[in-house]
């Protein structure tokens, strides 16, 4: 039996970056060993513990980008560099890619952060990445400046208010990229990756299915243990666990998740429609 | 001419025989063949299970689909997460921590209540893949009666009554399983409201689990499930200088508690040899399950095994049980049930 350790270990925050008035990135000096698409459980003693996407990870540190939306993230935003946060993980299945691929990363809102990590790792393997983000407006865009510094990446932006990029959904951009690739004016798309609001991912799932393009989607569900025991994040009808068989699933698997794009469950297991 | 004996075991035994017999025919040897095929089929309270390994309550039991997923991975039966009459909020996180030796949990028995159970169990009952044990819980004796009646209507095979959760207590601040009187009262009211077999899940954190078991059986229980988690215990983060679980304390389970669960089952079986037992607590492998059956269990609950070996633990343990039995010439688990009581 291999050594297992799933007890949070407190680590000081090395650095806090203010991204926007409501978004901060927390950097921890800790060898997490996460792959793009995996998540980490962060514990704030006396407050709560929550699963968070990993926005970047190398041998020395990992990053988590967080919007101050609930009691946990608001409490995180109150912290200073040097404060302790419990860490356990990494958990879940991440994104898959191979060298020299053409990737299209579809990020909705804060979904851009994990796709940044994917982009960093993919370009190292000689991949080309179309980094497609959608946000409410210019002030909500994340990670664009960091992505700009990477080679072999094209950035495409869509905003609800049209303050930057095209006005509308980022899925319109995906349609265009697919049309171009199909017509032969650009390279074949090997895989589309999506992270963001479920209705956006549902649309992406449909588009990729119609065009016969492979896709991987990060499906978020209420999680507790993170290691596949509590059953909180099991989805209908297959019963697979998003903390273990997910959160990243292939489009084939996503399309067999009957609740995908329809409903999810809360902390007591009750169903809520999207 | 030589006289030879051959024992063929398990799947492919027939094929092995044939080739061996042909070789012997050519040499003119005489052979005696014995074929061992182990059947793990188990009957518990009149309910038939393909194998004795059941999903313990609290693990992968939030939804009907999740329970089906366990059967697909080899479980012989499933137990729901504890069902409350009305919504019961769990604790804040962290609710579960674990390492290679143990698991510590204080999930707080969250559940949306009987209406949600109706939906989820309905999904499981449709083309039911394996027997269903519905685990019920309540904070008051009268509520146990009502939840028992309502759950019975959903059509499970067995009702398991959780009176031993260390996170839920009676008005005196202790689980019902801590006193003979409380345990018997709960058993009595449930008995009156259902014709289904009832199994009472007991706590190891008592002076004499045997006396509590006896009180439950006298009050009408058909079987006993032993044991619930041990403790409670605590883990402190030395950096934060604070307990890690949000509830501060939690029930201990996993490999570390197996000697306790084995002894509890051994003691109960010794005192009440006719009472069928679901033995649970730190059972990870097929050998662990055999050990539990030798202590006297009929069914074997597995929970933390999902952490150590993932959901495929059920099928793996069933295969290991079959392999052990075939190697040791055991054709049916009835041959070894309570075997440890014969010696020492």
């Amino acid at each position: 039996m291999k050594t297992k350790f799933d007890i949070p270990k407190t680590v000081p925050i090395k650095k806090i970056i203010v991204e926007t008035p409501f978004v901060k990135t927390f950097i921890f000096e800790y060898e997490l060993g996460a792959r793009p698409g995996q998540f980490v459980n962060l514990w704030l003693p006396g407050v709560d513990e929550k699963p968070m996407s990993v926005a970047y990870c190398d041998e020395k540190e990992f990053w988590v980008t967080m919007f101050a939306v609930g009691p946990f993230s608001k409490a995180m935003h109150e912290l200073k560099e040097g404060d302790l946060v419990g860490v356990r993980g990494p958990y879940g299945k991440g994104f898959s890619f191979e060298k020299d691929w053409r990737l299209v990363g579809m990020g909705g809102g804060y979904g851009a952060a994990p796709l940044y990590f994917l982009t960093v790792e993919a370009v190292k393997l000689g991949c080309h990445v179309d980094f497609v983000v959608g946000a409410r407006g210019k002030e909500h865009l994340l990670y664009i400046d960091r992505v700009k510094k990477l080679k072999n990446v094209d950035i495409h932006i869509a905003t609800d208010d049209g303050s930057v990029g095209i006005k509308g959904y980022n899925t319109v951009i995906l349609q265009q990229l697919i049309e171009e690739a199909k017509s032969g004016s650009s390279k074949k798309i090997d895989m589309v990756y999506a992270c963001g609001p479920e209705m956006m991912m549902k649309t992406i799932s449909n588009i990729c299915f119609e065009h016969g393009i492979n896709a991987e989607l990060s499906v978020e569900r209420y999680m507790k243990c993170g290691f596949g025991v509590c059953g909180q994040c099991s989805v209908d009808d297959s019963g697979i666990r998003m903390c273990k068989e997910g959160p990243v699933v292939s489009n084939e698997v996503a399309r067999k998740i009957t609740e995908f794009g329809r409903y999810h469950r809360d902390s007591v297991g009750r169903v809520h429609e999207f | 001419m030589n006289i030879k004996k051959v024992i063929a075991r398990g799947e492919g035994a027939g094929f092995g025989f044939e080739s061996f017999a042909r070789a012997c025919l050519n040499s003119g040897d005489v052979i005696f063949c014995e074929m061992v095929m182990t059947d793990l089929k188990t009957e518990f309270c009149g309910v038939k299970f393909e194998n004795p390994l059941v999903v313990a309550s609290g693990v992968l039991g939030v939804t009907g689909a999740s329970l089906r997923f366990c059967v697909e991975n080899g479980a012989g039966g499933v137990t729901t997460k504890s069902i409350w009459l009305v919504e019961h909020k769990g604790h804040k996180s962290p609710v579960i921590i674990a390492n290679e030796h143990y698991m510590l949990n204080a999930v707080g028995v969250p559940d949306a209540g009987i209406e949600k159970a109706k939906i989820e169990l309905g999904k499981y009952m449709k083309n039911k893949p394996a027997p269903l044990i519905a685990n019920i819980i309540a904070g008051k004796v009268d509520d146990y009666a009502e939840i028992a009646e309502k759950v019975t209507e959903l059509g499970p095979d067995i009702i398991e009554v959780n009176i031993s959760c260390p996170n839920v207590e009676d008005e005196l601040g202790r689980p019902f399983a801590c006193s003979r009187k409380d345990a018997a009262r709960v058993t009595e009211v449930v008995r009156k409201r259902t014709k289904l077999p009832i199994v009472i899940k007991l706590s190891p954190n008592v002076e004499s689990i045997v006396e509590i078991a006896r009180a439950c059986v006298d009050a009408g229980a058909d079987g006993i499930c032993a044991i619930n988690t041990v403790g409670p215990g605590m883990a402190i983060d030395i950096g934060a200088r604070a307990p890690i679980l949000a509830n501060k304390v939690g029930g201990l389970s996993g490999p570390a508690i197996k000697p306790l669960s084995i002894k509890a089952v051994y003691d109960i079986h010794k005192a009440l040899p006719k009472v069928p037992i679901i033995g649970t607590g730190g059972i990870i492998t097929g050998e662990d399950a055999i050990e539990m059956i030798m202590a006297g269990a009929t069914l074997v609950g597995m929970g933390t095994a999902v952490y150590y070996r993932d959901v495929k633990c059920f099928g793996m343990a069933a295969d290991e049980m079959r392999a052990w039995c075939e190697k040791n010439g055991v054709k049916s688990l009835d041959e070894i049930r309570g075997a440890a009581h014969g010696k020492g």
Side-chain angles (χ1 to χ4, degrees), chain B residues 2 9 30 84 88 90 120 172 195 199 212-213 225 242 276 285 307 314 336:
Chain B
N2 294 311
R9 301 180 172 97
V30 173
W84 291 86
H88 185 88
E120 297 301 339
L172 299 171
K195 289 201 165 62
V199 172
I212 308 281
C225 177
T285 67
Y307 171 69
F314 300 101
I336 56 164

Side-chain angles (χ1 to χ4, degrees), chain B residues 17-78:
Chain B
F17 267 147
E18 194 184 331
S19 49
F20 185 79
R22 278 180 198 284
C24 290
L25 266 178
N26 294 339
S27 65
D29 293 344
V30 173
I31 60 162
F32 292 95
C33 294
E34 188 187 336
M35 199 155 153
V36 182
M37 290 282 282
T38 304
D39 191 350
L40 296 181
K41 281 196 179 72
T42 300
E43 197 172 316
F44 179 86
C45 292
V47 181
K48 292 184 170 68
F49 292 77
E50 273 303 305
N51 72 59
L53 305 172
V54 298
V55 182
S57 183
V59 172
L60 297 177
V62 176
T63 71
S66 183
L67 292 169
R68 297 186 86 96
F69 184 55
C70 295
V71 178
E72 282 162 24
N73 280 281
V78 298

Side-chain angles (χ1 to χ4, degrees), chain A residues 6 10 229 236 241 265 270, chain B residues 87 98 120 237 307 310:
Chain A
D6 293 282
T10 43
V229 170
D236 291 339
R241 305 151 294 179
R265 287 180 173 84
R270 187 182 284 118
Chain B
E87 179 176 314
E120 297 301 339
D237 182 87
Y307 171 69
D310 205 357

Side-chain angles (χ1 to χ4, degrees), chain B residues 240-260:
Chain B
R241 305 178 182 199
I244 298 171
L245 293 176
N247 189 49
K248 296 188 173 65
V249 301
L252 183 73
S253 59
I257 74 158
K258 196 185 73 174
L260 297 173

